[in-house]
Amino acid sequence: MWHKPQLLNAIADLLLLVGAAALLAAGAVWVVRVPSLPVKQVVFVEPLAHVRRGEIEQVLPSALRGNFFSLDLEAVRVALEQLPWVRKAYVRRIWPAGLEVRVEEHQPVARWGEGYAEMVNSHGEVFAALLPESEMARLPLLVGPPGTAQEVLQRFVSFGKSFSAIGETPVQVSLSPRLAWQVCLGNGMRIEVGREHPKFTVGSRLQRFVEVYPTMVGNLPVLPAVVDLRYPNGFAMKVAGDGKGK
């Protein structure tokens, strides 16, 4: 073997590679374990409307374990997303000793169901959080079976566009367990829209009512308390205190 310089050179190169790999591995272990590279600063890149500093200080310490390199960013993200107002959190390292956090807060668009603290965000997701009573009261109310929040929100938006043509605004949209729709307007009127039907759609019923509203409903001395659109060729109206429909 000593008379084969090419083989000796190959062995030498291999030993150098093994030594370099060992040094890199040792360096990686040192970087992960060294206590002198702590995370010293957590920066939130956007102002927070609902999440409070005290809530953040309560959940972050347990997730900030390790140094700048060994810190588990996923653990930090999960910890932040446990907070009631946090929809999503995005975390990245900022050299040499910081974390940058971007928080997407829930944007409440309506109350959900009869529970005190449940709301629907702009994505149609139900979340539970505390909001001042005055702000909560200004939100419309959406009601429906479990898992239907997104559908009810979509209908709320659709109904809002339809009723805007007559200057009215829905303040409550409900979907019954039998999948029948009901709308309450800001003027106190309740609209029984009924179930969807391929030949007698919710949209067509509502459009028919909106078209005749100015001449048949809006000019009445007293607005009806209930309007029932669940008829194929018309609708019925009931004045408050009147047991008969019209």
Side-chain angles (χ1 to χ4, degrees), residues 218-234:
N219 61 353
L220 293 174
V222 179
L223 290 176
V226 181
V227 175
D228 193 341
L229 306 183
R230 296 172 294 182
Y231 297 88
N233 299 310

Side-chain angles (χ1 to χ4, degrees), residues 100-178:
E100 182 181 272
V101 179
R102 183 169 67 86
V103 169
E104 178 189 344
E105 292 183 291
H106 290 288
Q107 300 299 321
V109 296
R111 290 171 288 151
W112 176 251
E114 302 302 329
Y116 172 72
E118 285 195 330
M119 289 171 277
V120 179
N121 66 19
S122 55
H123 298 273
E125 301 162 342
V126 177
F127 69 101
L130 294 178
L131 195 65
E133 189 174 344
S134 58
E135 294 183 39
M136 184 74 86
R138 288 196 292 267
L139 293 175
L141 176 63
L142 306 183
V143 179
T148 62
Q150 189 172 51
E151 180 184 3
V152 178
L153 177 61
Q154 290 172 348
R155 285 289 190 178
F156 170 77
V157 173
S158 175
F159 291 156
K161 291 178 180 178
S162 297
F163 283 110
S164 66
I166 58 174
E168 298 296 341
T169 303
V171 295
Q172 179 176 332
V173 172
S174 302
L175 178 64
S176 75
R178 298 185 67 251

Side-chain angles (χ1 to χ4, degrees), residues 56 58-67 70-83 86 89-93 99 101:
I56 295 171
Q58 191 172 20
V59 300
L60 270 189
S62 61
L64 295 176
R65 295 178 178 175
N67 62 28
S70 64
L71 179 70
D72 187 348
L73 297 184
E74 180 68 9
V76 177
R77 181 191 67 79
V78 170
L80 289 170
E81 290 183 358
Q82 301 306 308
L83 296 176
V86 177
Y90 307 87
V91 186
R92 71 186 187 100
R93 293 179 176 88
L99 289 183
V101 179

